C-alpha cells in the first residue's frame, strides 16, 4: 500500500496501463518533470505533485497490465495497490483521469474481452464510478489516429456509453499529451471540479 500521500482534501488521480503516456500528461499538467521511461513499469509508486499554497494534490498512479520483464505477481500487486489507494481516498478524489492509448485501446480491450475476463481499462472505468470518483477518459496519442470519430465511438461502445462520443465530452477527452494538446481534458476536468464546488482549482487545468 502506498503511504506517501500528502495531507490534502482535494485530489485528481491519473490511472491506466503502462506506457499510455500518464507521466507525460502529468508533466504537461504540472509543468514538472517526472521519470518517464521507454520501458513500461518505470513508475512503481505514486508521483504526487503538491501545490503548497492550495489544498490540492495531483497523483500519477503506477501503470499496470502487461510489463515486459516484470513478474506476474508484481504486476498484480501494483494493480491491487492502485485499487486500494483509490478506494482509501475516494472521498477526496474529485476526478479520476483514466489514460488510454487512442491508437491501441480498442485492440487491447477486444483482445482481453471474454466470458472470464474484463479488460483492465473497462474494469477501471466502472470501478471509479462504483467508488464515487468521476472518471474522465483521456484518449491520448490522438495525433496518430486517422479515423478519430469512429475510434472514439468504438471506445464509448466498449465502456458502455451510448455513441456518438460527442455527447460524452465531460467523460471522453481526446488529447495528445506529447504535443501539449489538452483542451478537451481540461474542459472535462473543470466540469467535474465545478460540480464539486471547486472552481478555485481551475487554475491547474
Amino acid at each position: 500500500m502506498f503511504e506517501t500521500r500528502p495531507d490534502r482534501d482535494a485530489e485528481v488521480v491519473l490511472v491506466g496501463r503502462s506506457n499510455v503516456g500518464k507521466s507525460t500528461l502529468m508533466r504537461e499538467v504540472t509543468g514538472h518533470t517526472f521519470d518517464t521511461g521507454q520501458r513500461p513499469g518505470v513508475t512503481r509508486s505514486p508521483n504526487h505533485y503538491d501545490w503548497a499554497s492550495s489544498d490540492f494534490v495531483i497523483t500519477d498512479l503506477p501503470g499496470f497490465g502487461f510489463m515486459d520483464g516484470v513478474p506476474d505477481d508484481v504486476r498484480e500487486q501494483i494493480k491491487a495497490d492502485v485499487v486500494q489507494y483509490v478506494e482509501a481516498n475516494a472521498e477526496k478524489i474529485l476526478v479520476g483521469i483514466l489514460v488510454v492509448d487512442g491508437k491501441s485501446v480498442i485492440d487491447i480491450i477486444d483482445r482481453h474481452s471474454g466470458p472470464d475476463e474484463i479488460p483492465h481499462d473497462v474494469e477501471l472505468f466502472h470501478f471509479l464510478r462504483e467508488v464515487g470518483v468521476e472518471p474522465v477518459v483521456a484518449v491520448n496519442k490522438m495525433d496518430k489516429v486517422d479515423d478519430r470519430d469512429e475510434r472514439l465511438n468504438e471506445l464509448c461502445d466498449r465502456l458502455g456509453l451510448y455513441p456518438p462520443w460527442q455527447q460524452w465530452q465531460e467523460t471522453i477527452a481526446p488529447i495528445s499529451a506529447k504535443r501539449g494538446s489538452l483542451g478537451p481534458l481540461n474542459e472535462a476536468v473543470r466540469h467535474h471540479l465545478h460540480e464539486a464546488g471547486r472552481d478555485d482549482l481551475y487554475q491547474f487545468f
Side-chain angles (χ1 to χ4, degrees):
M1 189 61 181
F2 310 129
E3 300 294 352
T4 56
R5 186 185 184 278
D7 184 19
R8 296 285 181 250
D9 281 334
E11 182 171 13
V12 168
V13 297
L14 275 63
V15 295
R17 288 177 177 277
S18 298
N19 260 20
V20 293
K22 290 196 312 305
S23 298
T24 304
L25 177 57
M26 182 82 163
R27 188 177 64 222
E28 283 297 323
V29 171
T30 63
H32 185 78
T33 303
F34 296 88
D35 286 339
T36 59
Q38 294 304 310
R39 287 179 49 246
V42 168
T43 310
R44 290 282 177 90
S45 56
N47 279 321
H48 299 286
Y49 193 73
D50 185 16
W51 283 270
S53 59
S54 295
D55 189 15
F56 174 62
V57 63
I58 183 164
T59 302
D60 174 20
L61 289 167
F64 52 78
F66 176 74
M67 289 177 259
D68 206 16
V70 179
D72 284 354
D73 58 332
V74 175
R75 291 204 300 256
E76 286 305 310
Q77 188 57 52
I78 290 172
K79 189 180 168 199
D81 286 346
V82 168
V83 165
Q84 281 181 337
Y85 181 93
V86 173
E87 280 183 329
N89 297 295
E91 288 183 14
K92 296 181 176 184
I93 299 173
L94 303 179
V95 183
I97 300 175
L98 170 58
V99 187
V100 300
D101 182 333
K103 208 166 177 210
S104 61
V105 64
I106 302 300
D107 294 339
I108 290 172
I109 287 175
D110 288 353
R111 197 181 316 143
H112 292 279
S113 293
D116 302 318
E117 191 175 16
I118 300 172
H120 286 327
D121 301 291
V122 176
E123 186 180 20
L124 206 53
F125 178 78
H126 292 292
F127 164 69
L128 289 169
R129 284 185 150 181
E130 278 165 25
V131 296
V133 172
E134 291 291 348
V136 172
V137 184
V139 193
N140 196 17
K141 309 185 186 180
M142 285 303 286
D143 51 308
K144 298 178 180 171
V145 173
D146 300 327
D147 49 350
R148 179 187 166 96
D149 286 342
E150 188 181 328
R151 185 68 53 91
L152 293 168
N153 286 342
E154 287 181 348
L155 179 58
C156 281
D157 182 59
R158 304 303 191 276
L159 294 174
L161 304 173
Y162 197 72
W165 75 271
Q166 286 91 341
Q167 63 185 346
W168 301 102
Q169 291 190 36
E170 74 282 3
T171 306
I172 302 289
I175 62 166
S176 172
K178 227 171 197 171
R179 295 188 171 191
S181 170
L182 305 183
L185 176 63
N186 291 337
E187 289 296 313
V189 171
R190 285 180 170 200
H191 169 85
H192 296 299
L193 293 178
H194 179 70
E195 295 288 301
R198 293 303 304 262
D199 292 10
D200 57 306
L201 300 178
Y202 276 15
Q203 58 185 306
F204 302 115
F205 294 94

